[in-house]
Amino acid sequence: MPRDDPNKIESARAGARRLIEQTPKILAGLAALSGVAYLAGSIYTRAYFSEFGASWILEEVPAATYFSQSWVPLLLMLYFGYLATTNLARIGSQDELTENFQFKLSVAVVQYGPWFLLTLFVITLLLSTFSHVRSAIVLAIFGIVALLLLLSSAFELLVVRFNTTMDRLIDLSMAYIAFAVIAVGLYVLPAQLGLNWARLDKRPTSALPTVYLRSEAEQEYRLLFSVGERLYVFPARFEGTYPSVQTTALANVSFVPPER
């Protein structure tokens, strides 16, 4: 039977050692990503309720709700971060690094990604301003994916830059610009997504659940939010910019059909 290549075995061991050495940093990064997910979820939720003129509901919103609004971006962040760290674990020398396709891609993303994202921010804001709600939502979702890709690429470059054996390959100014744009995007994209999604939910054709109250059997309401036994509802049809959001108990609900 052919023997395993000693160079491959040693390279694998070296990669495993590097990955273990980076574990504390990875754990710290996971904690930071959780904080970012919480922040993005809170920005989204605040923008959403503000569009209903019901920011006072935020006092009742549990922390888990903020995470639930951003679990998909969090999973994408973890996935991109996993790709970056495992790629670095496989690289054993500067020559391997400069020839690695994924690393070259990360460099290109960090170099051109910030300008692409800034353009995306401007277009999203313009679409939102001129009430192209669905297009703004689609573009904001696409922007979140692009932002997360830029974040993982910038993270990979920072790890390489502060590795003492590869410290002259990376110009940190590229990464600093990327992180500045990411910081802007972490506010702009969730805020625009929450704002425009609320505009959809305010329409008569809203996909929010329909609710009828015992005291007003003829009035159709939409279920905006619920916490335990408390329901926050608003009239399905209303005049003006903001609907009249009111609080009711679950016991006062006479009929809640399934979501459409």
Side-chain angles (χ1 to χ4, degrees), residues 10-152:
E10 183 58 31
S11 178
R13 289 176 178 173
R17 284 196 299 269
R18 286 194 296 273
L19 193 57
I20 292 172
E21 291 171 357
Q22 296 297 327
T23 296
K25 296 178 182 179
I26 293 172
L27 293 176
L30 291 177
L33 291 179
S34 298
V36 170
Y38 179 88
L39 176 63
S42 64
I43 292 172
Y44 171 92
T45 306
R46 183 175 297 277
Y48 182 85
F49 286 132
S50 294
E51 183 61 18
F52 282 90
S55 297
W56 48 273
I57 297 179
L58 292 169
E59 298 177 1
E60 305 294 331
V61 176
T65 299
Y66 297 140
F67 284 107
S68 70
Q69 301 294 350
S70 56
W71 68 271
V72 172
L74 180 59
L75 288 179
L76 286 173
M77 278 192 282
L78 294 177
Y79 175 69
F80 287 140
Y82 166 79
L83 291 180
T85 53
T86 53
N87 180 54
L88 291 175
R90 292 194 299 266
I91 297 173
S93 67
Q94 292 189 15
D95 292 336
E96 290 180 8
L97 179 67
T98 55
E99 296 300 323
N100 183 270
F101 172 78
Q102 185 174 323
F103 182 76
K104 290 180 179 179
L105 180 62
S106 295
V107 173
V109 169
V110 173
Q111 185 173 3
Y112 301 107
W115 315 117
F116 172 76
L117 270 180
L118 287 174
T119 303
L120 206 64
F121 297 162
V122 173
I123 297 174
T124 302
L125 290 170
L126 288 175
L127 289 173
S128 179
T129 301
F130 292 102
S131 300
H132 296 287
V133 176
R134 294 185 185 277
S135 298
I137 289 175
V138 171
L139 207 60
I141 293 174
F142 179 73
I144 288 173
V145 176
L147 184 146
L148 297 180
L149 178 60
L150 178 61
L151 177 62
S152 66

